Amino acid sequence: GAVVSQHPSWVICKSGTSVKIECRSLDFQATTMFWYRQFPKQSLMLMATSNEGSKATYEQGVEKDKFLINHASLTLSTLTVTSAHPEDSSFYICSVLAGKNIQYFGAGTRLSVL
Amino acid sequence: DAKTTQPPSMDCAEGRAANLPCNHSTISGNEYVYWYRQIHSQGPQYIIHGLKNNETNEMASLIITEDRKSSTLILPHATLRDTAVYYCIVMGGGADGLTFGKGTHLIIQP
């Protein structure tokens, strides 16, 4: 399967600052990537679908101006949490859509906003 | 995508086969059954998927009933590292994001 690298694995930031999370597909040309978040003791929730070279598609209730997604190449998608607040503290996970509609996931980024 | 129902938790002894059930009675003809698992504080991991035939790979076997309304994921020789939350997800052929339910928390006992 595809190997997905996510960076950083853990980040702490002050309220009001922006944080960028990178998701790299190391061995697969990924036209489509996904971003999920997971709050403690809950399941993963899809945030957005990221398509290379076009605007991301956001799920209902996810603010596109707050969670900026850029998918400028077939191997890199980034998620920027702008003006982060404590309620944005969560586990953010990306995935790559490979053949047979299988998704391969990164290890996740744990964001803590103070 | 069809809804799935899984038991919230299961225990299994190390070395024994772990059988995880999933009900998907509203599955439609073009929808596949996918299984993923998430080990604590890690990203999910793809396990196996199938349409109507039974499938086997190096990780697990997937048994789908003839009417496709339910399926069972089988881990043939469970180890402690198989302790995780297992998600059964039904979806069609589109490039859509996954809808994760609550899954089954499988605990492998030494």
Side-chain angles (χ1 to χ4, degrees):
Chain A
V3 179
V4 181
S5 173
Q6 196 171 332
H7 178 81
S9 56
W10 186 38
V11 58
I12 301 173
C13 71
K14 293 183 179 179
S15 186
T17 61
S18 294
V19 174
K20 180 185 281 189
I21 302 169
E22 292 187 348
C23 180
R24 293 184 183 273
S25 179
L26 299 184
D27 59 352
F28 183 81
Q29 307 267 304
T31 303
T32 302
M33 292 185 177
F34 299 96
W35 287 95
Y36 298 81
R37 66 180 167 186
Q38 184 175 33
F39 292 107
K41 299 188 186 301
Q42 295 186 23
S43 290
L44 283 80
M45 294 288 291
L46 178 66
M47 297 178 67
T49 302
S50 170
N51 292 301
E52 187 264 339
S54 64
K55 291 184 179 180
T57 303
Y58 291 82
E59 295 299 299
Q60 193 173 10
V62 178
E63 300 175 56
K64 62 179 172 63
D65 295 329
K66 181 169 184 63
F67 298 99
L68 301 180
I69 292 172
N70 184 280
H71 191 162
S73 78
L74 290 173
T75 58
L76 175 64
S77 176
T78 61
L79 169 68
T80 301
V81 184
T82 63
S83 187
H85 290 285
E87 57 266 29
D88 299 321
S89 298
S90 189
F91 190 47
Y92 291 87
I93 310 165
C94 69
S95 73
V96 163
L97 180 65
K100 300 182 181 181
N101 272 344
I102 297 169
Q103 291 187 29
Y104 295 95
F105 290 81
T109 296
R110 192 161 302 281
L111 171 63
S112 295
V113 185
L114 304 179
Chain B
D1 297 333
K3 182 179 176 180
T4 63
T5 304
Q6 299 178 253
S9 65
M10 292 182 64
D11 286 352
C12 178
E14 188 177 18
R16 304 296 293 268
N19 295 276
L20 292 90
C22 179
N23 284 320
H24 32 78
S25 59
T26 61
I27 192 170
S28 60
N30 66 341
E31 289 183 316
Y32 288 74
V33 181
Y34 289 80
W35 283 84
Y36 288 82
R37 72 180 182 184
Q38 185 179 24
I39 295 170
H40 183 61
S41 295
Q42 298 183 21
Q45 177 187 23
Y46 164 78
I47 301 172
I48 199 167
H49 76 284
L51 182 63
K52 55 182 179 181
N53 296 323
N54 297 338
E55 302 286 346
T56 294
N57 63 19
E58 64 278 4
M59 288 184 69
S61 294
L62 174 60
I63 308 298
I64 303 174
T65 58
E66 194 167 340
D67 64 6
R68 302 210 321 125
K69 292 185 177 182
S70 66
S71 60
T72 301
L73 177 74
I74 301 172
L75 306 179
H77 304 288
T79 71
L80 298 178
R81 288 176 293 182
D82 292 321
T83 292
V85 179
Y86 287 76
Y87 297 98
C88 168
I89 300 172
V90 170
M91 60 186 294
D96 298 323
L98 297 173
T99 301
F100 287 86
K102 296 183 187 293
T104 296
H105 187 194
L106 176 66
I107 300 171
I108 306 300
Q109 305 279 3

